[in-house]
Amino acid sequence: MVRVDYGHPDALALIEQVQEEYVARYGGRDESPIDPEMFAPPTGSFFVGYVGDLPVATGAWRRSSVAALGATVTAEVKRMYVVPAAQRRGHARRMLAHLERTAAEAGFEALVLETGVRQPEAMALYESAGYVPVPGFGYYRDSPISRCYAKLL
């Protein structure tokens, strides 16, 4: 796992791939507003996971204003993605653990995240990692296919 700027070429390529995945699953790109500066330390971080020299996974966190599970100092997980050729090899679980560790080291008390019902493998990952459902938040908070989760760090 390597921390990179949001505009790093490997990050941008993987972000485009996850956007294509959203189009395939939901019929459109993720429209939630993203400011790349949100992922700059100390209030955020963006990571690319590599196998050798190949970028195979992304994950990021950014400061959040969402209170969850009694925590008020929270960060939101964004852009979790593993390329299809590298799926089912533990990369997503390792990336999620890395995000949890680095967010905790940065002083956050909990992580929150939003996913959708058309990503059952993501929901299963988060639930198996100890994330619990929380009320909707963010850009898709009123969407019937959105699901939000949180975990204390």
Side-chain angles (χ1 to χ4, degrees), residues 16-143:
E16 184 56 32
Q17 288 181 44
V18 75
Q19 290 290 352
E20 292 170 8
E21 184 70 21
Y22 296 148
V23 170
R25 291 187 188 218
Y26 297 100
R29 297 168 71 86
D30 178 1
E31 297 176 356
S32 58
I34 294 286
D35 176 353
E37 291 302 312
M38 294 176 170
F39 299 102
T43 59
S45 284
F46 195 100
F47 300 93
V48 173
Y50 292 88
V51 173
D53 293 336
L54 291 174
V56 299
T58 60
W61 53 262
R62 65 181 181 182
R63 180 183 309 246
S64 173
S65 62
V66 175
L69 307 177
T72 57
V73 182
T74 64
E76 180 182 11
V77 172
K78 296 296 289 180
R79 297 299 182 252
M80 280 282 298
Y81 177 69
V82 176
V83 299
Q87 291 175 359
R88 305 250 182 252
R89 296 184 185 159
H91 298 299
R93 190 167 300 280
R94 282 190 293 279
M95 178 63 78
L96 185 59
H98 184 76
L99 297 178
E100 292 170 355
R101 185 177 66 257
T102 57
E105 289 169 355
F108 293 96
E109 300 169 346
L111 285 178
V112 297
L113 62 88
E114 186 270 337
T115 190
V117 298
R118 295 183 185 150
Q119 294 168 268
E121 64 285 344
M123 293 171 58
L125 169 68
Y126 298 134
E127 291 170 6
S128 72
Y131 286 77
V132 296
V134 295
F137 63 85
Y139 187 80
Y140 295 105
R141 73 180 151 272
D142 297 322
S143 171

Side-chain angles (χ1 to χ4, degrees), residues 3-23:
R3 197 200 75 69
V4 300
D5 291 333
Y6 191 87
H8 186 279
D10 291 339
L12 291 175
L14 291 169
I15 290 167
E16 184 56 32
Q17 288 181 44
V18 75
Q19 290 290 352
E20 292 170 8
E21 184 70 21
Y22 296 148
V23 170

